[in-house]
Amino acid sequence: MNLIADILLAAGALGAGFYCFVLSRRLSRFTNLENGVGGAVAVLSAQVDDLTRTLGEAQGTAGESTARLESLTVRAEDAAKRLELMLASLHDLPEQPPPPRKDEEPRFVRHTEGSR
């Protein structure tokens, strides 16, 4: 009976050793920096850095565009105010009669039939 127990115990130890060997190989492939999850994490980290840099540039460009748009809006509002004042001042001008014609007699011009 002891011999059977020893054989089973040795078989279990060999099985556990083989299982640990297979698990070790899988874990080393899993954390491999080129093909495994470690590689994916490294690639994602590089992409996050690129996106962070691109986002910073986009925010800077948006800030510049906002400042430029704000200055153009202020200029447009000033121009609109000046135009409104000019239009208001045109309403204050008195209406002038048309200038008198030098020749008050009516003039009639005869057209030939071919010129119509």
Side-chain angles (χ1 to χ4, degrees):
M1 185 68 125
N2 281 338
L3 182 62
I4 294 174
D6 288 341
I7 292 174
L8 288 177
L9 187 61
L14 286 175
F18 181 73
Y19 177 74
C20 288
F21 175 73
V22 170
L23 189 60
S24 171
R25 300 270 315 228
R26 284 187 179 179
L27 189 60
S28 68
R29 273 190 267 139
F30 185 70
T31 58
N32 186 2
L33 288 178
E34 293 177 8
N35 299 328
V37 173
V41 169
V43 168
L44 288 175
S45 177
Q47 287 178 348
V48 166
D49 291 341
D50 289 342
L51 287 175
T52 302
R53 187 177 63 251
T54 304
L55 181 62
E57 291 173 3
Q59 285 176 341
T61 304
E64 292 171 5
S65 296
T66 301
R68 200 169 77 209
L69 183 62
E70 187 174 323
S71 70
L72 289 174
T73 303
V74 168
R75 284 182 53 200
E77 287 175 353
D78 290 341
K81 287 178 185 176
R82 281 185 279 153
L83 284 174
E84 286 176 2
L85 284 174
M86 286 181 191
L87 282 174
S89 67
L90 283 177
H91 292 295
D92 294 341
L93 291 176
E95 289 192 29
Q96 296 176 352
R101 293 179 56 188
K102 293 181 183 178
D103 184 20
E104 291 295 326
E105 295 180 16
R107 296 179 90 194
F108 295 103
V109 178
R110 183 175 303 243
H111 296 286
T112 61
E113 292 294 322
S115 65
R116 285 189 186 174

